[in-house]
């Protein structure tokens, strides 16, 4: 159905709604601008991306409509010196955008299934990873055509991936097979860790911004789980506070304990 972008603020009274924007299709993902605190980008079921300004009350500043199916993932580049957005779609392509330009700069077409997740490297300019229903994790360089690296990471659809904030060669994938796997880009023959515990598909996984070996995941099993892959018993905590599918999570960059 229709989608709403809710912009929230945390103050003494708790979490309050600052502003909300409506779109005429479902909204699947959102990313904050890295160069303007008022700007964010959403991706939609109609294949479009929307750029919003929280300082304005009206609709989006811009709409980019190029994907031919659901735009399922969007991320703003993390490295200094570039302002790029990457989107991933069920049309099996990822697209590169400069928010100042009215059309995509480039389209990446090697996946053989829907793309569920596209995440920029926090370390390497112009480098991003994508996770797909074709059971692969792929790494791309926007300056070079074609895929840089293909990792057959799971024997199931991969719904999420993330980069370690402390190691430019380490990524994690989460899949329909209920497992999380860590991958070292210098040796992709086998995972560097496998984390088991979820009982249904893992929908989102995120590395901690504060701890090099800590990550969080959420799943269709209604739980959020915290892991430390350096420990013999890596599962730190299972949180069962949701009563439905847990579809997304992120860790605060400002408050160590906040998810």
């Amino acid at each position: 159905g229709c989608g709403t972008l809710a912009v929230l603020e945390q103050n003494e009274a708790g979490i309050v709604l600052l502003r909300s924007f409506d779109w005429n299709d479902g909204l699947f993902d959102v990313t904050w601008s890295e160069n303007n605190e008022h700007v964010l980008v959403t991706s939609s079921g109609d294949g479009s991306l929307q750029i919003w300004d929280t300082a304005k009350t009206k609709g989006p500043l811009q709409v980019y409509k190029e994907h031919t199916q659901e735009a399922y993932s969007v991320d703003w580049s993390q490295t200094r010196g570039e302002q790029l957005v990457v989107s991933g779609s069920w049309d099996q392509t990822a697209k590169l955008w400069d928010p100042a330009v009215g059309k995509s700069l480039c389209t990446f077409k090697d996946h053989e299934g829907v793309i569920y997740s596209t995440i920029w490297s926090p370390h390497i300019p112009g480098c991003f990873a994508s996770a797909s229903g074709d059971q692969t994790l792929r790494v791309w360089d926007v300056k070079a055509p074609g895929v840089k690296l293909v990792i057959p990471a799971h024997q199931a659809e991969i719904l999420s991936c993330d980069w370690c904030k402390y190691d430019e060669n380490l990524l994690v994938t989460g899949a329909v097979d209920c497992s999380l796997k860590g991958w070292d880009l210098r040796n992709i023959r086998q995972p560097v860790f496998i984390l088991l515990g979820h009982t249904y598909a893992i929908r989102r996984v995120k590395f901690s911004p504060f701890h090099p070996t800590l990550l969080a995941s959420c799943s269709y099993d209604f739980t959020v789980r915290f892991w430390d892959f350096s420990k013999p018993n890596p599962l730190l905590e299972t949180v069962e506070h949701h009563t439905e599918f847990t579809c997304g999570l992120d860790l605060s960059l400002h408050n160590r304990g906040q998810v």
Side-chain angles (χ1 to χ4, degrees), residues 6-205:
V7 183
L8 308 168
E9 188 170 61
Q10 192 165 22
N11 57 29
E12 298 76 39
I15 297 174
V16 295
L17 183 66
L18 191 68
R19 183 157 278 130
S20 72
F21 300 99
D22 292 321
W23 187 247
N24 54 14
D25 207 313
L27 296 175
F28 287 133
D29 202 7
V30 60
T31 183
W32 282 102
S33 163
E34 294 290 328
N35 69 347
N36 184 331
E37 64 183 296
H38 299 295
V39 171
L40 21 73
V41 185
T42 50
S43 64
S44 172
D46 61 10
S48 66
L49 305 185
Q50 302 77 28
I51 298 186
W52 310 86
D53 186 339
T54 62
K56 308 250 193 323
T57 51
K58 291 276 187 296
L61 300 177
Q62 280 173 293
V63 178
Y64 299 135
K65 176 80 172 79
E66 288 188 26
H67 286 297
T68 56
Q69 291 181 44
E70 286 86 341
Y72 206 66
S73 167
V74 63
D75 196 34
W76 198 294
S77 58
Q78 301 294 303
T79 50
R80 292 178 186 274
E82 58 181 5
Q83 293 301 325
L84 298 173
V85 170
V86 64
S87 60
S89 169
W90 288 3
D91 67 11
Q92 306 186 5
T93 71
K95 285 181 179 283
L96 180 71
W97 311 83
D98 178 339
V101 177
K103 62 182 195 301
S104 65
L105 306 178
C106 188
T107 302
F108 302 89
K109 291 183 171 166
D110 280 343
H111 274 296
E112 293 166 23
V114 303
I115 296 175
Y116 289 112
S117 180
T118 44
I119 301 288
W120 287 104
S121 166
H123 312 276
I124 308 159
C127 181
F128 72 92
S130 57
S132 168
D134 66 12
Q135 309 183 354
T136 66
L137 172 70
R138 297 179 189 231
V139 177
W140 311 79
D141 178 355
V142 302
K143 296 180 244 354
V147 66
K148 192 166 152 187
L149 198 59
V150 180
I151 303 170
H154 297 257
Q155 289 182 304
E157 289 197 297
I158 306 169
L159 303 185
S160 185
C161 62
D162 197 30
W163 291 83
C164 179
K165 313 297 185 277
Y166 294 85
D167 182 345
E168 67 178 45
N169 291 301
L170 184 61
L171 288 103
V172 63
T173 51
V176 172
D177 63 9
C178 309
S179 73
L180 295 162
K181 294 185 181 182
W183 299 96
D184 185 325
L185 298 182
R186 294 161 299 189
N187 179 7
I188 61 172
R189 283 196 298 277
Q190 68 268 335
V192 289
F193 63 80
I194 300 176
L195 304 174
L196 302 172
H198 280 295
T199 55
Y200 282 94
I202 294 164
R203 181 62 188 270
R204 185 67 60 99
V205 58

